Amino acid sequence: MPAPEYPAHREADVVLRDGATVHVRPVSPDDDHRLLIFFRSLSARSRSLRFFSPATDVFLMGEARREADVDYVKTFGLLATTGLEERVVGHAIYVVPREGDRAEIGIAIAEDFQGRGLGTLLLGQLAEVAAVNGIRVFEAEMLPENHRMLEVLRESGFPLEVRAEPGQIQMTFATSLTDAAREHFEHREEIAAANALKWFFAPCAVAVIGASRDRGTIGGEVFANLLAYGFAGPVYPVNPAAEVVQGVPAFPGVEAIPGAVDLAVIAVPAARVIEVAEQCARKGVRALVVISAGFAETGDEGRVRQARLLRVCRAAGMRLIGPNCMGIVNTDPAVRLNATFAAGMPPAGRVGFFSQSGALGLAVIDYASSLGLGISTFVSIGNRADVSSNDCLSYWGSDPGTDVILLYVESFGNPRKFSRLARRVGRAKPIVAVKSGRTAAGARATSSHTGALLAASDVTVDALFRQAGVIRVDTLEELFDVASLLAHQPPPGGRRVGIITNSGGPAILCADACEAEGIQVPVLSAESQARLSAFLPGEAAVANPVDMIASATAEHYREAIGIVAADPTVDALIVIFIPPLVTRPADVAGAIVDGARGLDGKKPVLTVFMSARGVPEELKSADVRLPSYAFPEAAALALARAARYGEWRGRPEAPPAVLPGLRRDEAAAVVATALRRGEGWLAPGEVAALLACYGLPVADQRVVTAPEEAGTAARELGGDVALKAIAPGILHKTEVGGVRLNLRGTDEVRKAAEEMAARLGALGHPPTGFVVQRMVPKGVEMLVGVVHDRQFGPVVACGAGGVLVELLRDVAVRLTPVTREDAGEMIGSLRTSPLLTGYRGGPVCDVRALEEMLLRASTMADDLPQIAEVDLNPILVHAAGAAVVDARIRVAAAEPPPPLGATTR
């Protein structure tokens, strides 16, 4: 019998509760010696709890051989290893003792790794494998005093059944991950990621490897910045060529440092980084910031070097920021960490900033300083070999010192994980992002209408940010404009703004910009207008915008803010000031602050000071911080972005859609059968069967192979029919005469099929068959489609359908899972949506039926990752429902998902 194939896709690095990493992989038959060493390393008590006996050495040798004898189906084991020597620190196994769907499990964890979440992770991964292999129930027997194992099982989130027997406890639970269990594992991932970053942002001691006596070098500047900013712990310079660096005794290597080192900042030539990282591993360093360049950004040789660096870090349980980065900052007074080579430092504040660009990070620090925007922590991530934006989101989500999160992102490692994290974190803290790469250098080749709509575009990122509540901006200037607002003021409770000014021109520009961005400028109530008229000159305009004219005093601003903010039609205020000859900007700034103070943070106030002198110091230094902009359009745009975020945060999280009548097992069988034939487009009969499994209504049809059969099918269907050619390689059948409508009777359909076959044959695309389809009631042609993106997963599109789909490009996009609210928003956002609701006396269509189709197509794509493309075009939506008139589905082998808890960037 051949040896079972080793499941290499189950290998993964995982992060423990304290932020350290271990490597988890399947047991192989030659691991018996490693298992024996591991069993021998356990304490006598641990061996007794695991094996129900003192476990002699002879017994352990037999047990190691038995538990290494795996077939990866009925018997499956996992090993957790750490260190360059691959020391085993955890083992989990399931065994099916007899035929059936139940297995017995055993778990053992090294003494120094107990209580760190490793047992829970191994159990979750073991359950994942078992469920795939058809094992539905795990059973565990344990001694009553085995409190650790009881804790592991209870913490896993699996629903347990516990039964006490004489001298032992028996526990059973289903291997399938419930929503509660999956949520538990996701939450522990977030905790682990946050704890890992604490070694970077709050280390007890820092070593700078490559610290230089020469200022102006990277190593010299990093070391100088750490000293100058006043890091709260010891800073050790490492330089084998110097005894003293900038007045501090130096060490020839990190291992020569007498005390513990939590964080090492590496600024040595790329060729030496691996060696230095290995020294850090032996020293027990927990976190590395590698500033050195010369890795994946330089080509193949650099990519190999970066992979080796990551392997060293993973093996040692170290986390890595970089390489090719500019460092990190923590302005917390209890830490005061500036491990960058930047020339300046931003003021302390409550904004976390993530940058994937090192050079940009330098500019960001400088710009934040000029704006007075306070930073809590800053990360320049570089090549993102390990720590990513997802890890930073986890950290900032639980960091009490951060209120606003800013991201400059060039690419995503795991967008679906980002979406999950952003949805949770964004409920409490706004996330503002610039994502570079709005357009693609070239469109990827696609072979469906949906693919053509999504190719060479940035709609997937837009959909990700929209669904996750992330505020997307187009420029770094906008990023800081929005940050200045949300760092100091609450998001507005609605989209209505009151504008106060001493000059009509800027107010008109502001109102126009607001309206263009969906912000309303309502007429103030009669009461508010009367109160304003009571103290303003007769020439003043009081409807909104409130133009107090050039003679407005500081006191006028103070009173107007209170009145306009109290108006029930106003959710936010934009206050504009152009310095006249008589009124001092400082006085006005003080009055605006006083007026805003009286609002108690209930409504945001934005200011515009159109002065060459810039923002008055009174706004910068006040206890009530107000964002200020040079021009009214910038303030309007920032307010619009914040308003959309406020709306998202104010909506309750939508529950998953409940869709009755799904036949998931039957659908999986259709796809599996097709894939045995090979990757590609499903046959029309398979398409119809798959859509039926998900309750997607298809127009009544027959699939035939010859013109004579087409005539017979037309007679069976009765009434008017459509005839469509089945011709692989043709996307737009209407353009080559591959579609005929409103045919009737056997002879007319047979003759049309013969003519169609001749025409397409002459074009080099002889049809392999025909679809004869009953004509459906007239309606609006729409499209629902799916493209499986390698990074983002299934991307669902809805838009105007039919032959004009690519010309109109009227499409809305979401990532799965799509909720009912998403489906409604997608349809309502289309330019052509009025056609569905009785435009110019037209019929009112069943929009709910189209929403249902969106949800069912989304669920189908989510359930079956082998679906590469879906094209339901057109869907005819009419007054009494909707039906798919033409459909194409392509399948391809899907990559297996990463193991539970795997570190995916």
Side-chain angles (χ1 to χ4, degrees):
M1 175 181 279
E5 184 178 355
Y6 178 76
H9 68 278
R10 294 298 313 180
E11 291 198 18
D13 298 306
V14 300
V15 186
L16 303 183
R17 187 179 295 138
D18 61 357
T21 61
V22 297
H23 187 69
V24 176
R25 64 170 178 83
V27 170
S28 64
D30 60 357
D31 279 325
D32 53 342
H33 183 62
R34 287 189 181 88
L35 279 171
L36 178 59
I37 293 173
F38 172 63
F39 291 155
R40 284 171 174 170
S41 72
L42 298 174
S43 67
R45 173 176 169 77
S46 292
R47 287 199 299 267
S48 177
L49 294 175
R50 171 68 171 81
F51 299 112
F52 283 50
S53 72
T56 64
D57 201 59
V58 172
F59 172 85
L60 293 179
M61 292 173 66
E63 197 65 18
R65 284 193 297 270
R66 185 180 74 83
E67 297 195 12
D69 184 17
V70 292
D71 63 9
Y72 302 123
V73 178
K74 300 294 186 183
T75 307
F76 195 104
L78 290 169
L79 288 182
T81 65
T82 187
L84 299 175
E85 74 286 358
E86 295 189 15
R87 171 198 166 206
V88 176
V89 295
H91 172 243
I93 188 172
Y94 76 70
V95 177
V96 179
R98 49 198 164 274
E99 289 302 315
D101 61 357
R102 303 171 81 88
E104 298 173 353
I105 63 169
I107 298 176
I109 305 297
E111 250 67 25
D112 56 334
F113 276 76
Q114 292 179 8
R116 299 169 66 180
L118 178 56
T120 304
L121 272 171
L122 291 177
L123 175 64
Q125 289 198 14
L126 205 62
E128 269 190 326
V129 174
V132 170
N133 289 335
I135 297 160
R136 302 189 182 279
V137 177
F138 272 167
E139 300 174 338
E141 296 180 354
M142 64 196 74
L143 297 173
E145 60 267 29
N146 195 350
H147 304 298
R148 285 282 192 190
M149 185 62 177
L150 283 168
E151 183 182 351
V152 165
L153 291 172
R154 292 195 185 282
E155 282 190 354
S156 66
F158 289 98
L160 303 175
E161 292 183 14
V162 183
R163 188 171 70 253
E165 300 285 347
Q168 66 180 23
I169 295 174
Q170 291 191 339
M171 306 185 84
T172 61
F173 58 94
T175 58
S176 59
L177 279 176
T178 64
D179 290 342
R182 191 169 296 281
E183 187 175 329
H184 167 82
F185 279 103
E186 290 172 354
H187 182 58
R188 83 152 290 291
E189 275 187 57
E190 294 173 28
I191 293 173
N195 286 337
L197 287 194
K198 288 178 182 176
W199 295 106
F200 289 96
F201 290 129
C204 293
V206 179
V208 180
I209 304 173
S212 173
R213 292 172 292 188
D214 300 327
R215 297 293 301 272
T217 64
I218 290 178
E221 291 302 316
V222 171
F223 186 67
N225 283 346
L226 280 163
L227 295 179
Y229 196 54
F231 174 63
V235 181
Y236 300 110
V238 175
N239 186 332
E243 294 185 0
V244 176
V245 172
Q246 299 183 34
V248 180
F251 297 88
V254 68
E255 292 173 281
I257 296 172
V261 175
D262 297 324
L263 170 65
V265 183
I266 299 177
V268 301
R272 286 198 53 222
V273 169
I274 305 297
E275 174 193 355
V276 168
E278 290 171 343
Q279 294 168 2
C280 290
R282 291 192 294 269
K283 176 65 178 174
V285 174
R286 302 300 300 268
L288 297 185
V289 173
V290 178
I291 292 177
S292 311
F295 290 86
E297 79 281 3
T298 63
D300 291 342
E301 183 180 346
R303 278 189 284 273
V304 171
R305 183 181 293 120
Q306 184 167 303
R308 286 183 58 202
L309 171 62
L310 185 58
R311 281 198 299 272
V312 170
C313 292
R314 289 279 196 257
M318 296 185 296
R319 299 305 302 272
L320 166 67
I321 286 178
N324 186 34
C325 72
M326 63 159 287
I328 60 176
V329 169
N330 184 0
T331 63
D332 184 343
V335 179
R336 298 191 64 81
L337 176 76
N338 179 9
T340 73
F341 52 90
M345 266 295 291
R350 305 188 64 81
V351 176
F353 193 99
F354 170 96
S355 175
Q356 212 168 322
S357 164
L360 186 64
L362 291 170
V364 160
I365 287 179
D366 190 46
Y367 192 54
S369 300
S370 70
L371 291 177
L373 185 65
I375 300 293
S376 60
T377 39
F378 167 83
V379 184
S380 164
I381 212 68
N383 290 3
R384 205 191 63 210
D386 179 20
V387 171
S388 70
S389 57
N390 291 341
D391 298 298
C392 293
L393 277 183
S394 296
Y395 175 81
W396 283 320
S398 59
D399 177 29
T402 299
D403 293 334
V404 179
I405 298 166
L406 307 184
L407 308 175
Y408 171 78
V409 181
E410 294 175 350
S411 62
F412 289 101
N414 188 338
R416 291 174 75 84
K417 185 175 180 180
F418 175 90
S419 175
R420 187 186 75 238
L421 285 167
R423 287 171 195 250
R424 184 188 65 77
V425 174
R427 291 286 167 186
K429 302 179 181 183
I431 303 167
V432 192
V434 175
K435 166 64 174 70
S436 61
R438 276 279 190 182
T439 58
R444 57 192 154 107
T446 57
S447 47
S448 71
H449 295 288
T450 307
L453 285 174
L454 302 185
S457 71
D458 199 38
V459 292
T460 49
V461 176
D462 273 336
L464 169 69
F465 285 165
R466 183 185 298 109
Q467 289 172 268
V470 175
I471 305 168
R472 182 172 192 176
V473 296
D474 295 321
T475 66
L476 287 171
E477 184 176 18
E478 288 179 26
L479 180 82
F480 283 103
D481 285 346
V482 176
S484 296
L485 169 56
L486 293 174
H488 302 133
Q489 296 285 293
R495 288 176 169 262
R496 303 167 302 177
V497 64
I499 301 172
I500 300 172
T501 182
N502 65 345
S503 176
I508 294 171
L509 292 173
C510 186
D512 288 346
C514 285
E515 294 282 1
E517 292 294 330
I519 299 296
Q520 302 165 26
V521 185
V523 175
L524 299 179
S525 68
E527 179 186 354
S528 297
Q529 293 190 48
R531 293 177 63 194
L532 290 166
S533 297
F535 68 89
L536 291 176
E539 300 86 353
V542 295
N544 195 19
V546 177
D547 180 5
M548 302 185 296
I549 69 173
S551 60
T553 66
E555 184 58 32
H556 288 161
Y557 272 94
R558 183 184 292 107
E559 289 190 51
I561 287 171
I563 293 169
V564 175
D567 193 293
T569 67
V570 169
D571 301 305
L573 282 80
I574 296 178
V575 183
I576 304 171
F577 176 74
I578 293 182
L581 295 177
V582 291
T583 308
R584 293 178 60 246
D587 295 337
V588 172
I592 293 173
V593 169
D594 288 345
R597 186 181 292 112
L599 305 184
D600 294 327
K602 294 176 182 176
K603 295 183 180 181
V605 178
L606 296 75
T607 69
V608 178
F609 272 74
M610 300 180 69
S611 168
R613 296 177 181 175
V615 180
E617 286 299 320
E618 286 75 11
L619 290 181
K620 291 183 179 180
S621 59
D623 58 317
V624 177
R625 296 297 300 273
L626 300 179
S628 190
Y629 305 90
F631 298 102
E633 296 90 343
L637 191 56
L639 180 62
R641 300 277 197 263
R644 282 195 281 273
Y645 166 71
E647 288 177 348
W648 175 85
R649 194 167 78 169
R651 290 197 300 263
E653 289 193 63
V658 178
L659 303 173
L662 303 183
R663 305 197 302 275
R664 288 184 163 98
D665 291 344
E666 186 180 334
V670 171
V671 172
T673 301
L675 283 173
R676 276 200 295 270
R677 186 176 66 244
E679 298 182 347
W681 295 98
L682 299 185
E686 294 170 323
V687 171
L690 188 56
L691 296 180
C693 290
Y694 280 86
L696 286 156
V698 180
D700 194 9
Q701 65 183 35
R702 303 286 187 275
V703 179
V704 300
T705 58
E708 293 78 8
E709 295 174 4
T712 302
R715 185 178 68 247
E716 293 174 356
L717 289 170
D720 289 350
V721 299
L723 178 70
K724 303 176 184 180
I726 301 173
I730 295 179
L731 174 59
H732 303 288
K733 291 191 288 286
T734 55
E735 294 179 3
V736 293
V739 177
R740 293 282 301 276
L741 303 177
N742 297 307
L743 302 175
R744 182 183 285 266
T746 304
D747 292 340
E748 186 177 5
V749 172
R750 176 183 52 77
K751 183 178 178 181
E754 291 171 347
E755 293 172 353
M756 192 177 290
R759 182 184 306 108
L760 295 181
L763 295 174
H765 296 286
T768 59
F770 302 91
V771 175
V772 183
Q773 191 176 75
R774 178 178 286 127
M775 294 293 294
V776 300
K778 289 185 177 181
V780 178
E781 292 187 337
M782 302 296 292
L783 169 145
V784 170
V786 179
V787 170
H788 193 102
D789 187 280
R790 187 178 61 84
Q791 279 195 309
F792 290 81
V795 182
V796 182
C798 176
V803 296
L804 299 179
V805 55
E806 288 165 40
L807 176 64
L808 296 177
R809 301 192 70 84
D810 183 21
V811 63
V813 174
R814 296 292 188 276
L815 307 181
T816 60
V818 174
T819 66
R820 286 200 180 276
E821 287 74 10
D822 289 329
E825 285 182 1
M826 290 174 75
I827 297 169
S829 69
L830 298 173
R831 296 192 305 275
T832 49
S833 66
L835 296 175
L836 297 167
T837 55
Y839 179 71
R840 290 196 172 181
V844 177
C845 298
D846 189 349
V847 176
R848 183 77 175 183
L850 181 58
E851 289 179 4
E852 190 76 8
M853 281 194 166
L854 263 171
L855 293 170
R856 290 178 178 272
S858 162
T859 303
M860 179 177 71
D862 229 10
D863 287 348
L864 300 168
Q866 301 87 355
I867 291 179
E869 287 186 75
V870 176
D871 215 31
L872 310 181
N873 179 40
I875 294 171
L876 278 178
V877 188
H878 48 83
V884 177
V885 175
D886 200 5
R888 306 177 78 216
I889 298 177
R890 183 170 65 86
V891 295
E895 294 182 9
L900 193 70
T903 54
T904 50
R905 295 170 290 156

